[in-house]
Amino acid sequence: MPGRLKAKIVAGRHLPVMDRASDLTDAFVEVKFGNTTFKTDVYPKSLNPQWNSEWFKFEVDDEDLQDEPLQITVLDHDTYSANDAIGKVYIDIDPLLCSEAATVISGWLPIYDTIHGIRGEINVLVKVDLFNDLNRFRQSSCGVKFFCTTSIPRCYRAIMVHGFVEELVVNEDPEYQWIDRIRTPRASNEARQRLIFLMSGELQRKIGLKVLEMGGNAVVGYLQCFDLEGESGLVVRAIGTACTLEKMSTFPATATHPNNSSPSKDMKDSPQAAPSTLGCRSTHSSPVHSASSRLSQGFSISVPTLLFSGMKPRHRSSEAPRARQCRPGFGEEAPGVPLSSGPPTPLRAQTFSSFSPSKSYSRQSSSSDTELSLTPKTGMGSGGSAGKEAGPLKALLKQQTQSALEQREYPFFTLTIFPPGFLLHVGGVVSARSVKLLDRIHNPDEPETRDAWWEEIRQEIKSHAKALGCHAVVGYSESTSICEEVCILSASGTAAILSSRFMQDGPLDTEHRLSQQPLCVFSAGSERVEGDMGSSASLGFEEVVSPGCGFCHIPYDELNIPFPAQLTYCYCCRRYKVPDVLFTTIDLPTEANVTGKGCLIQARLCRTKKKAQGEGNAMAISNLLPFLEYELHTQLMNKLKLRGMNALFGLRIQISVGETMLLGLASATGVYLTALPSPGGIQIAGKTPSDITYEQHISNMQKKINDTITKNKEQYEINPPEVVEEIIGSPIPEPRQRSRLFRSHSESSDEVSEIDLSHGKKDAFVLEIDDTDAVEDIHALLTDSPTPAGFYSCNTEIMPGIQNWTSAIQMFTSVRVFRLNANLTNQGLNKIFSDLCENLLKSLYFKLRSMVPCCLCHLNFTVAIPEDELIQVAVTAVAMSFDKEQTLENGKRSGEKTLIKAITENDEQLQFNLELNAETSSPNPLGSPKGLSEVGSHPSARAPSVDYSSFADRCSSWIEQLKLKAHTIRRGSVKTTSSMEKASPLPEGRSRSLRSNRSYSGSSVAVVKMTPLSFIPGAKIIKYLGIINMFFIRETSSLREEGGVSGFLHTFIAEVFAMVRAHVAALGGNAVVSYSMKECVFMENPNKNQAQCLINVSGDAVIFVRESELELTSVQPQSATTQTSNGGEGT
Amino acid sequence: MRLHGTHIKLTERSLYSVDVKMSVELDVFVGNTTIMDKEVYQLWLNGYTVNDAVKVRIEGGVMEECEASAEVLLSDTMDQYRTFQMCERLLHHPAKLANQLLFQIPPDRQAMLIERYYAFDDSFVREVLGKKLSKGTKKDLDDVSIKTGITLKSCRRQFDNFKRVFKVVEELKGPLVENIRQHFLLPDQLARDYAAIVFFANHRFETGKKKLQYLTFQDFAFCAGQLINNWTVGAVDNMMEDMDVDLDKEFLQDLKDLKILITDKDLLDQHKNLVCTALRGKTNVFNEMEANFKNLSRGLVNIAAKLINAKDVRDFFIDLVEKFIEPCRSDKLTSIDVNLYLTHYTNSAHILDTFKHHAVWTRYMGVIKSCILRMYHD
């Protein structure tokens, strides 16, 4: 009996009138945990009862503590008839089980009823006394911390990152049980809510066990999802990244500096250093334990090519040769073609799809795993590519089976933001999809089928990553889309090479990352940046890699490129090869050098599909998927080029299946990575050049496109240093991209060469107009309306180029359902779908106009097809205001007249830069050099920086670094703060943002902020109180009376927000970070005047403190620095 | 939530059609901090339909300002209307707004919401001032709506506000204005206005007669303030159980004693002489004043004596106008003259040997004087 749960019911308020006669209520409360129930006395005739109950004590196993919620039911006492339920409160007591999280739950919690919504509030007190249980065979995992945040939480540092953990549990859906026919909707909803609570608890406990096995103490990037499979059951699954975290008691940023900067020579010891994993295999086929040791094995290999071996041919060979072509093989409409020819350029972003409808009902047991799990490839049906793949694939399998470890584990990380130095190189997006037919889960305790499905997909992801020369997948996520009995399983991530440093005990300090928040608006003068930064980084690595561009360097072997890419030398360091375009699912690394600002880029696609059943349906969907993905990529690429950008971050491709259509929505944040070559323009080529009017038409369109590109470049302040190569003597003997241009450039054919391209001196991206579809495509391309003045948008955590956030944030959820009224063609559907996304964005801009200038961050679109001809789009995001002054300044800067000012500024900053660098040594303050480089766009201003950029300089820089480091120690960090102040002339100055912090006027305690981001601008998170994971069902049979569907959902979402806020406040928190609405299933039956909605939300409850308040108390100079940079990033 | 007709129906099958091919069936925006546009709120309060509100907004130029389309405006307006409807229930008990959990609204916004919800049109209140706040009156609101040009929805909201405030303070003890302010979290001036409305409704003062049409609500509110502060029970004794919606019965009883000023011939003459002596040479209309003295004095004292009858209380304002203001006006007295006259009229009574009711006289004339001065305009 390792735990005692205590609950006290204090009072209620705002209760509904339950007795019409007296207009009052005789309320009492039932407190239930597990199978034990306590009751309070009846408090007669009051809408604000004061029960003030005794402490109800439950003595329970900690396993139950983890699984079960505390269930509080408020009832109205009725002498003659049955007592009426007023509503319920489910309290997740998990946060109380962890010593570092909350200690008590106390506060007003909304009483919720699935039919009536919130009905008053109840004030409760809940505590847990936990007795230590050292039994190693225990089934509980109390004390493992869970974080939704996909980065190392702000007040922790990672001692070790163990790796991927996953688990799933299944059950029958109460809604589909026979008993549902005889019970009330309320009972059914409550059974469902309770079941999901239990399942989430169990899932979390099981994952916790795995983490403990791995030697970790926390899960970050915890992503839990529900699959409502209808008849076939209810699946709750979760993935996450196991870590060993250590709480930073004060602000020990100073302490960790040496660690970070010291060369981690012991890197190769990592396998040993990793804790030996216990052999106890948990439940079913979970391939997680000992991930850390295996990972480190992989990481000790510094040359990615070693991983390559037999992989390449299988993957890219078929698609390779044609991938660069403009519109590859649209003539040949064979189903397999798009996959084998690939999207035009997003080579690294290639997705691979495997569809195995045939397999899904063959019900293989997961033990026969790997071979089978990969066979679906052949199910593709495209004879050619499949054949080619099959051979090497088998070979690979054999190879793999040899090392059992390698076999079972997935080097996946659900993180999207990494401690500096963790992410070495990024290969590109890897993804896998598979279409399955659902079948009833016969034995909920052995959900083998579902496990096997995911295993299959993960194996595929893993091999894709290998094909890209990468040993890890970061920013990994999984999702499903279900329509009737068909289920599409998707997984995607970013192939990457990680540093082994963090696989062993080299404490990562997240604050470092903060202090490195990129002030990089513009890194034209990247030479300099690189000079400084490369060397600073060199303190930590044998290999000199600039953090600003290092991650862009290709991880694969140049001579054995897995696909034809156009490689050039890095525009920052000029030493390593970089691809021409980079797609990733992760957040923009904070240290990345970025030119200008970013923006949200969406590709939207609708495809009609014939109604079908079972196998045929799955087959049809399988056949459609590759086309969908191909077109999404084409669209993304076009839109990226149209904005003059060269990289996508946070790419999320969602494919939704309905009865008669498939929806594809790809969202990402486009940026211009300074390290990557400037994207060429888009060039249109007609097929019939003889026709004069046609040519006229084409040249008109070309002009439009060129204009748009110019406009976009202006709007996003993309002024890449086009002259860089000419001015700076290249320290690299090799000729650069020019020479290798034509290698992969087949599109500069004769017919296009006549058209003059104003954009991109070298490679233009050619769109061939060969049919009306293409014309439509181009039109569609141009219809994306620009964001209104004062607005920016992105789907990543932060927007490059904006740091001076104010404290004004507004999280919101918007849901729309559209009915398609007519039979539409694919083109028509596309247009409608695209329009409705655009309109939704426009509405958001309008709604939030009072916050201008502001940026919509973490714009997360979710599309669904709730029923035939209905499209549902849900968006959750946060609008954050930033300082106006700076924007103005920005605008000014982009103007021509600032040259002189720029020069002076440059001088000033030069000094500052050195100083700063000296003082903060390893976690180098990227900001300043970047700010500097901003100025660098003017040739004259850039001139003095050439020295720094030179290769020779960098080579010797480590000596300098040592000297500088010595400086740091001598000077102490107080100076740092002052130099920060000096930095105020910086375009994106930090001190200014600090000032804006101070102007923040205090808010009352009751306010709970919510944000999908992992931080709160202008504030410091001082404590994580635990994970919030709530599931609600709301149903009505008086839809009209509640204001129709909109009124119903509006109320429900507001109620969900209210309940999240109340629970956070009861935990003692004042904010939810990394908030997300993972599920919003809305169903209506207007004829019956009924509607039902399910919402699942999650996030991390935290306590934050305003930086302005912190400053007053903080004495530690280093922490001042941290705050400063914090402010820079998040104000 | 009882619907007062101020609620729009958003239950049509589709909210709006974007084009023939597609219609929006559901459109919802919920912010963690509830977003409320003041302008839209005002339109909602004014009882505009969604479509009318959109039109007004388009004319207001918000579209050009924000690069929005009519569709965006429609969506936004509907959303806001829905939010306001959901809030309305809370606005009926403003104290709830502060401790409810459903909407996260910053305190200044809450204050704005309440203040504007309880704000009323002077032209509307003028129509119902002094009427019984009953269902019957509510039924007649469509006439009021037509007459004033204020939408019926808005009329109903304002009427219901009056009624709600009335019902709540009716049962409360203590100072009226303070009760209203605390209970409805209204700013001081608005609380005073509501106190006046409640006071008028309680005593059913006649305000609708043609002769009273020239008076504004603010005139009446001022007078109500005077009455509340001087003639109610609360005015003399804050500790009293009773509240200050009702006039001090004892005082009203005492007022009958003032009759001596007109029934006693000597006293009347004496009074007249004193006043005339004081006024002589100080005004151009001395002759008229002298000629009218007895008439005016009789008027005022009769009003005082009758106040003990509830029915005559109702006619208090019409009596003031008929018995005093109109005669003065026909004699072309300026308000300075009236002030002068009333000052001396009040003061002289104290010098009268046989007149003993100084306290009652002062309490009565103080209010009468300020009311008349306030009401003495065109």
Side-chain angles (χ1 to χ4, degrees), chain A residues 810 817 821 847 849 1084, chain B residues 21 23 25 32-33 37 76:
Chain A
Q810 169 68 282
V817 175
N821 293 333
K847 284 261 184 213
R849 64 194 185 284
E1084 56 161 331
Chain B
K21 292 172 195 155
S23 55
E25 186 132 320
N32 184 36
T33 305
D37 186 314
D76 178 61

Side-chain angles (χ1 to χ4, degrees), chain A residues 13-14 121 788-789 810-821 824 832 836 839 844 846-847 849 1008-1010 1040 1044-1047 1049-1051 1053-1055 1057-1058 1061 1082 1084 1086, chain B residues 10-11 13 15-16 18-33 35 37 57 62 66-68 71-73 75-76 79-80 82-83 86 96 99-104:
Chain A
R13 68 180 183 193
H14 304 156
E121 291 118 40
Q810 169 68 282
M811 190 282 294
F812 59 85
T813 290
S814 184
V815 182
R816 283 190 183 186
V817 175
F818 302 85
R819 178 173 294 278
L820 306 170
N821 293 333
L824 292 159
I832 281 186
L836 59 87
N839 286 339
L844 298 182
F846 181 75
K847 284 261 184 213
R849 64 194 185 284
V1008 174
K1009 298 220 171 201
M1010 291 168 79
R1040 269 188 295 279
V1045 284
S1046 298
L1049 193 62
H1050 194 142
T1051 316
I1053 294 176
E1055 282 171 342
F1057 283 6
R1061 285 192 303 256
F1082 179 76
E1084 56 161 331
Chain B
L10 288 174
T11 53
R13 190 74 179 85
L15 300 178
Y16 50 91
V18 178
D19 56 36
V20 236
K21 292 172 195 155
M22 167 178 88
S23 55
V24 179
E25 186 132 320
L26 180 157
D27 180 1
V28 164
F29 177 101
V30 190
N32 184 36
T33 305
I35 293 184
D37 186 314
R57 294 183 82 186
V62 74
C66 315
E67 306 168 36
E71 193 189 311
V72 165
L73 267 181
S75 151
D76 178 61
D79 221 76
Q80 304 244 11
R82 219 168 23 235
T83 310
M86 287 161 72
K96 273 192 186 168
N99 62 13
Q100 52 85 29
L101 302 177
L102 193 55
F103 300 101
Q104 189 158 272

Side-chain angles (χ1 to χ4, degrees), chain A residues 1052-1072:
Chain A
F1052 186 35
I1053 294 176
E1055 282 171 342
V1056 169
F1057 283 6
M1059 287 185 277
V1060 169
R1061 285 192 303 256
H1063 281 261
V1064 170
L1067 286 169
N1070 57 4
V1072 191

Side-chain angles (χ1 to χ4, degrees), chain A residues 633-650:
Chain A
H633 276 284
T634 313
Q635 255 189 55
L636 277 179
M637 189 55 90
N638 288 343
K639 289 187 176 180
L640 186 66
K641 300 231 172 226
L642 199 65
R643 285 169 178 81
M645 296 172 182
N646 58 18
L648 287 181
F649 287 90

Side-chain angles (χ1 to χ4, degrees), chain B residues 125-131 147 200 204-215 220 314 317-318:
Chain B
V125 72
R126 208 41 204 82
E127 293 299 318
V128 293
L129 194 65
K131 284 191 183 144
K147 190 173 169 193
F200 267 69
R204 313 265 301 279
F205 285 112
E206 177 58 66
T207 64
K209 287 269 162 59
K210 209 176 170 197
K211 282 179 179 164
L212 295 175
Q213 283 307 316
Y214 79 98
L215 292 168
F220 285 119
R314 287 186 201 171
F317 292 100
I318 191 94

Side-chain angles (χ1 to χ4, degrees), chain A residues 335-544:
Chain A
V337 166
L339 185 81
S340 60
S341 53
T345 347
L347 296 168
R348 271 145 301 289
Q350 202 71 272
T351 49
F352 294 82
S353 320
S354 87
F355 314 102
S356 56
S358 52
K359 213 211 133 208
S360 41
Y361 22 90
S362 60
R363 307 203 125 269
Q364 256 92 5
S365 76
S366 62
S367 55
S368 54
D369 51 40
T370 38
E371 285 227 0
L372 287 163
S373 73
L374 286 167
T375 38
K377 265 285 168 197
T378 55
M380 259 311 298
S382 66
S385 61
K388 262 182 234 161
E389 282 166 5
L393 184 67
K394 291 254 162 71
L396 161 79
L397 281 176
K398 277 187 191 117
Q399 245 180 21
Q400 283 190 329
T401 30
Q402 279 164 2
S403 88
L405 273 178
E406 187 91 20
Q407 260 296 304
R408 276 204 303 262
E409 289 143 10
Y410 304 106
F412 298 168
F413 299 86
T414 52
L415 302 177
T416 59
I417 301 173
F418 305 91
F422 189 56
L423 188 69
L424 296 184
H425 305 294
V426 168
V429 170
V430 285
S431 79
R433 281 180 217 284
S434 142
V435 182
K436 302 288 185 191
L437 274 184
L438 298 172
D439 198 355
R440 189 174 279 278
I441 301 164
H442 294 288
N443 182 2
D445 295 329
E446 289 295 322
E448 279 180 347
T449 359
R450 303 298 186 278
D451 256 338
W453 290 354
W454 286 111
E455 209 164 317
E456 225 171 71
I457 285 193
R458 288 174 193 140
Q459 281 294 350
E460 208 177 324
I461 291 273
K462 189 173 155 188
S463 51
H464 290 331
K466 282 202 171 172
L468 285 167
C470 295
H471 55 220
V473 176
V474 294
Y476 179 74
S477 67
E478 295 174 348
S479 62
T480 57
S481 169
I482 297 171
C483 176
E484 304 283 305
E485 50 184 353
V486 177
C487 173
I488 302 181
L489 280 68
S490 314
S492 72
T494 304
I497 293 185
L498 303 177
S499 159
S500 61
R501 218 146 52 98
F502 302 98
M503 297 301 145
Q504 58 191 39
D505 33 15
L508 311 182
D509 182 350
T510 42
E511 295 305 327
H512 282 184
R513 194 172 64 70
L514 302 188
S515 62
Q516 283 200 349
Q517 282 298 341
L519 292 193
C520 45
V521 170
F522 195 99
S523 10
S526 45
E527 314 78 49
R528 161 94 67 71
V529 174
E530 206 280 319
D532 293 341
M533 301 247 260
S535 42
S536 71
S538 73
L539 282 171
F541 295 87
E542 305 94 66
E543 199 189 349
V544 181

Side-chain angles (χ1 to χ4, degrees), chain A residues 700-767:
Chain A
N700 272 344
M701 220 181 264
Q702 181 70 53
K703 191 172 173 301
K704 239 191 233 167
I705 287 180
N706 292 348
D707 288 350
T708 316
I709 294 180
T710 319
K711 223 187 285 163
N712 278 330
K713 282 190 172 174
E714 221 165 88
Q715 183 180 0
Y716 301 113
E717 294 159 38
I718 300 171
N719 307 305
E722 299 220 29
V723 274
V724 158
E725 306 111 282
E726 279 76 24
I727 286 191
I728 296 152
S730 88
I732 310 155
E734 234 179 303
R736 284 181 314 277
Q737 66 269 48
R738 266 173 199 288
S739 58
R740 27 187 79 247
L741 252 175
F742 30 94
R743 195 178 71 176
S744 52
H745 254 250
S746 48
E747 83 274 62
S748 12
S749 53
D750 309 79
E751 59 175 18
V752 292
S753 60
E754 285 152 53
I755 299 163
D756 177 45
L757 280 175
S758 49
H759 299 282
K761 46 208 182 303
K762 13 184 208 324
D763 52 329
F765 184 70
V766 182
L767 279 177

